[in-house]
Amino acid sequence: MPNATDAPDPEKLSLNTATVKAQWSLAQAIEGCARHGIRGIAPWRDKLAEMGVKAAAKAIKANGLTVTGLCRGGFFAAKDWLDDNRRAIEEAHTLGAQCLVLVVGGLPEKSRDIGRARARVTESISIILPEARKAGIPLAIEPLHPMQAADRACVNTLEQALDICDALGDGIGVAVDVYHVWWDPKLEQQIRRAGSKRIFGYHICDWLVPTRDLAYDRGMMGDGIIDLGKIRNWVEVAGYSGFQEVEIFSERDWWQRDPDEVLRICKERYERCC
Ligand code: ZN
């Protein structure tokens, strides 16, 4: 059984490029990972479009990086959700991504019906899932902290996400992002329920006290109150043996720093706190 006090495998660190999005293009992030010996990368689609999907796939392959996820599909309340998700699946396929992360979206404009929005998430995923299966791309629902239920994701707990997975079958699972789920009293139980069959991604950062912004004030691992060792232990006991992906949105701190310094500190904290 893995022990949380063991240092994590240095080969299993991944950089979600949001962590340096203010400073670097995707091409620079790919080079940065290679330079710092970070073996995984998870690009966002806006930066991917800037670089070009084929050029990105080529550069990622040339540097021997694993694409631990593509961010993101989902937003099922948006008008063009179907075409957009089809494009996302195609891009994930071209990149050889381990999964496409789904941020499912909140309420449609002027709606107060969160129950309907949630039902719509399941319906929408059931429409794209056969295409994702055909492309060989696992879909990973990322439950988001309930403070973002209205505008970013009306799926807010691992339990809720896993109920959707159980309703839909194979090829659909979850991305466990500690920032969104650390507070959940059912977290350990639901991670166990998910098991290796459903856990497609594991995202790390920290929760700062106080938090000054609902979306853009995430902390570096070790700077907040999340017990990262414990949660890592839970996901490993559940059978997950994939990458730990650092994802830090931080307008006032980490996006202001020299990105090489950010990557250095990510590595150091990963080894010490995760
Ligand atoms: Zn995440």
Side-chain angles (χ1 to χ4, degrees), residues 16 44 71 101 142 144 175-177 180 203 218 245 247 249:
N16 184 300
W44 280 72
C71 294
V101 173
E142 182 165 328
L144 259 52
V176 177
D177 186 321
H180 294 299
H203 302 175
R218 292 184 177 211
E245 181 182 311
E247 184 180 30
F249 299 84

Side-chain angles (χ1 to χ4, degrees), residues 17-226:
T17 62
T19 308
V20 287
K21 75 174 251 184
Q23 303 99 315
W24 273 348
S25 67
L26 180 53
Q28 287 171 310
I30 294 166
E31 286 161 17
C33 283
R35 200 162 56 241
H36 289 267
I38 294 174
R39 311 301 304 146
I41 191 163
W44 280 72
R45 291 177 63 215
D46 53 343
K47 298 267 178 158
L48 182 64
E50 240 172 61
M51 182 173 183
V53 185
K54 283 202 178 121
K58 203 172 147 193
I60 287 167
K61 199 171 167 203
N63 285 288
L65 304 180
T66 299
V67 178
T68 55
L70 175 64
C71 294
R72 58 170 173 59
F75 274 78
F76 300 114
K79 268 205 187 82
D80 67 337
W81 71 269
L82 185 54
D83 283 346
D84 189 58
N85 278 277
R86 283 180 169 148
R87 278 195 299 274
I89 290 167
E90 225 177 272
E91 290 165 16
H93 178 76
T94 306
L95 292 179
Q98 292 186 329
C99 65
L100 173 65
V101 173
L102 300 181
V103 173
V104 300
L107 296 172
E109 225 180 296
K110 292 183 184 149
S111 167
R112 291 195 170 97
D113 192 348
I114 195 165
R116 176 75 198 103
R118 286 172 168 158
R120 189 170 162 168
V121 169
T122 307
E123 288 160 23
S124 306
I125 296 175
S126 76
I127 294 169
I128 57 168
L129 186 56
E131 299 175 33
R133 284 185 189 131
K134 209 189 280 170
I137 295 299
L139 300 177
I141 303 172
E142 182 165 328
L144 259 52
H145 191 285
M147 68 184 171
Q148 295 183 322
D151 57 343
R152 294 185 59 79
C154 59
V155 172
N156 307 103
T157 63
L158 211 48
E159 182 173 36
Q160 214 188 331
L162 290 168
D163 287 347
I164 297 173
C165 295
D166 285 352
L168 296 178
D170 290 337
I172 176 92
V174 294
V176 177
D177 186 321
V178 297
Y179 194 73
H180 294 299
V181 299
W182 69 272
W183 56 272
D184 184 349
K186 288 187 178 170
L187 185 57
E188 182 183 12
Q189 178 205 102
Q190 293 300 314
I191 285 174
R192 204 179 318 125
R193 171 186 172 194
S196 55
K197 178 175 187 251
R198 296 285 192 206
I199 303 176
F200 296 159
Y202 178 55
H203 302 175
I204 54 173
C205 67
D206 217 332
W207 182 280
L208 299 176
V209 181
T211 287
R212 299 164 296 181
D213 185 282
L214 294 188
Y216 301 121
D217 193 27
R218 292 184 177 211
M220 177 62 68
M221 296 82 75
D223 287 345
I225 49 75
I226 301 180

